[in-house]
Amino acid sequence: MHRITTKWLLAILGIMILGLTLLGTVSYWVITNHYQSYAEITLGNQASSFAEILKVDFDPKTLKHVAAMETKSSSTVFVFSPEGDLFISSKSTKPQLLEVVQNWVRQDLNQKSIQKKVALDGIQIILAKSPIERGKNRLGTVVVGTELTWLENALQSLQAMLILAGLGALLVASGLGLLLSRSVVRPILDVVKTIGQLAKGNYQVRILVEGKDELALLNQQVNQLAESLSYYQSSRREFLSHVAHELRTPITYLKGYATLLQNPEIELNRAQKLTSIIREQSDRLDRLVNDLMTLSRVDEGQLELKKEQVELGELLQKICDEMRIQAGEWGVKLVLNIHQPPLYLSLDPQRFYQIMMNLIDNAVRYSHGKGTVTISVQKKSNEMMIQVRDEGIGMSEKELNRVWERFYRVEKSRSRHTGGSGLGLSIVKHLVGLQGGRIDVKSIPNRGTTFLLYFPHHQRARSE
């Protein structure tokens, strides 16, 4: 787990080392060149100054005075004759250095002020020379030389300071990098830990969200994932519980009545009644299985639609004709109101039939043997609105909020008395959405419920 922290810290240190190395190298090069240039310019100015002095008064006294001026300094002054012979030197000099200087002067006696670097016994020496001229007469040449030992010592001290400063910067960077890496990696480790808990089935775990950066966004997403998994788990448990309950009731009927039918002394009328109940419960199981298969295919995105242009009035008339007998058995009047010319919609007829049958069946069963169920159609802009209105028991606002939930029923005893599985409205909502429509519901307790379906409308002339 700590490999990320280590890699992050090593990356920071690598960048810091590279940056400090480049900075130190460039700084050392700049400072070295600056001091060398300064030393060369200073020596050149000294040589020119001495040449100006001697030009005015070139005699032994002045020569001694010039030499005495540099006796205690780090520089050495040489004065040569026009032929390159030594007149005077401010300090005793090694023969090798005097030979180098004398040869350099004799190379070109007419050269103006110029600098040169030489190395003797591993020591760098800078030389500057300037001619002594009075008018057109050449009186000699002044050479000023100095060892760069002081410069090398200064640069060594500077180098040591840069190294110490670099080490200090690395230590500070290491500390800051460690703190930074922990602050960055800790949320990632929290995410890894949380995901591990989610993988073990602990969907109640959450991550503390701090700040508004990308890591905070990642934590929010993980928390949303945990909430979704928790909701899925509870929904799955509830769904399985409902399915088990819905299957248990008809199976209990089937087993019980099948056992009674095995009695050889059972009367014919009673046997026929039991057989009818078994058939009803078998139909109920069949509807439940079909509903579950439909929902499963919807959830998996495998429900295929076969859309075509259908004339809405004809299709609704056919559905109402089929449902009127059932509505009459429940004591409910079924009315279809269409005051429009032929209306064509792009629909899957089979799925639209399933939608309307569910809604009308619900309206009839919840009317409790009274009132009227009305199906009406209205054209609204680019939509077609279909209303299914009953005069039944209605629903409260709380019930309206849950009406699309799977296995939810307004009447808890409905499965026993009316045979509903509680899946119909959930299926209806999915099927409407798959066909590009939307559905809404309005209800008033004890006055009735109205379902409103909206489908995109494409008008066309009916073919002959």
Side-chain angles (χ1 to χ4, degrees), residues 139-417:
L139 305 178
T141 302
V142 177
V143 177
V144 181
T146 184
E147 296 181 357
L148 291 180
T149 306
W150 64 273
L151 180 58
E152 293 177 356
N153 293 336
L155 292 177
Q156 288 179 357
S157 300
L158 176 63
Q159 189 176 24
M161 290 176 62
L162 289 174
I163 293 174
L164 291 176
L167 292 175
L170 282 178
L171 290 176
V172 174
S174 300
L176 293 177
L178 183 61
L179 293 176
L180 181 61
S181 62
R182 287 183 176 179
S183 65
V184 172
V185 173
R186 180 178 57 81
I188 299 177
L189 296 179
D190 291 340
V191 170
V192 173
K193 182 179 178 182
T194 301
I195 292 176
Q197 291 294 315
L198 293 176
K200 294 178 182 179
N202 180 14
Y203 302 135
Q204 305 305 317
V205 65
R206 298 291 184 273
I207 306 176
L208 179 63
V209 179
E210 297 178 341
K212 297 181 180 180
D213 55 11
E214 289 79 0
L215 290 174
L217 180 60
L218 175 63
N219 291 343
Q220 290 177 357
Q221 295 298 320
V222 172
N223 286 341
Q224 291 180 6
L225 173 63
E227 291 175 2
S228 299
L229 290 174
S230 178
Y231 175 77
Y232 171 78
Q233 184 187 47
S234 61
S235 299
R236 178 174 175 273
R237 289 175 180 173
E238 186 178 0
F239 180 79
L240 292 176
S241 175
H242 283 306
V243 170
H245 175 74
E246 294 298 329
L247 291 174
R248 186 182 298 113
T249 301
I251 289 174
T252 301
Y253 278 112
L254 292 175
K255 290 176 63 177
Y257 292 133
T259 301
L260 292 176
L261 285 174
Q262 290 177 344
N263 185 358
E265 300 178 359
I266 189 172
E267 297 178 358
L268 179 60
N269 290 338
R270 179 157 178 81
Q272 291 177 344
K273 184 177 181 180
L274 293 177
T275 303
S276 177
I277 295 175
I278 290 175
R279 176 60 183 270
E280 291 176 0
Q281 296 301 319
S282 298
D283 290 342
R284 180 183 169 193
L285 276 177
D286 184 61
R287 288 195 302 271
L288 177 60
V289 171
N290 287 334
D291 288 346
L292 289 173
M293 290 180 64
T294 300
L295 280 176
S296 175
R297 284 189 288 173
V298 168
D299 289 341
E300 294 176 3
Q302 297 180 353
L303 188 65
E304 296 182 359
L305 298 180
K306 298 179 180 179
K307 286 188 175 184
E308 59 184 74
Q309 290 291 326
V310 298
E311 206 285 294
L312 186 60
E314 291 181 359
L315 187 55
L316 288 176
Q317 187 65 59
K318 179 181 177 181
I319 295 171
C320 289
D321 289 343
E322 292 183 18
M323 292 296 296
R324 275 198 178 91
I325 297 176
Q326 178 183 338
E329 292 176 352
W330 284 80
V332 176
K333 184 180 180 181
L334 186 59
V335 177
L336 174 62
N337 290 330
I338 300 180
H339 305 291
Q340 300 281 347
L343 302 169
Y344 289 87
L345 295 179
S346 177
L347 298 170
D348 182 327
Q350 180 182 352
R351 297 304 175 188
F352 182 77
Y353 178 89
Q354 187 176 359
I355 291 169
M356 296 306 300
M357 292 293 284
N358 264 299
L359 293 177
I360 296 173
D361 180 71
N362 262 3
V364 168
R365 293 175 184 273
Y366 278 111
S367 293
H368 287 281
K370 63 178 181 178
T372 302
V373 173
T374 304
I375 296 93
S376 60
V377 177
Q378 289 182 345
K379 184 176 182 300
K380 290 183 173 292
S381 184
N382 295 325
E383 290 184 319
M384 195 63 65
M385 182 182 72
I386 304 171
Q387 289 189 7
V388 180
R389 179 169 55 86
D390 65 55
E391 298 172 353
I393 63 173
M395 290 180 284
S396 66
E397 184 176 351
K398 180 180 179 182
E399 290 168 329
L400 281 176
N401 293 331
R402 301 190 60 191
V403 72
W404 308 112
E405 294 181 12
R406 298 176 183 182
F407 294 107
Y408 180 75
R409 298 185 188 87
V410 176
E411 288 185 313
K412 304 304 179 184
S413 61
R414 190 183 167 208
S415 63
R416 190 175 296 112
H417 297 301

Side-chain angles (χ1 to χ4, degrees), residues 236 398 436 453 460 463:
R236 178 174 175 273
K398 180 180 179 182
L453 295 87
R460 47 162 280 185
S463 60

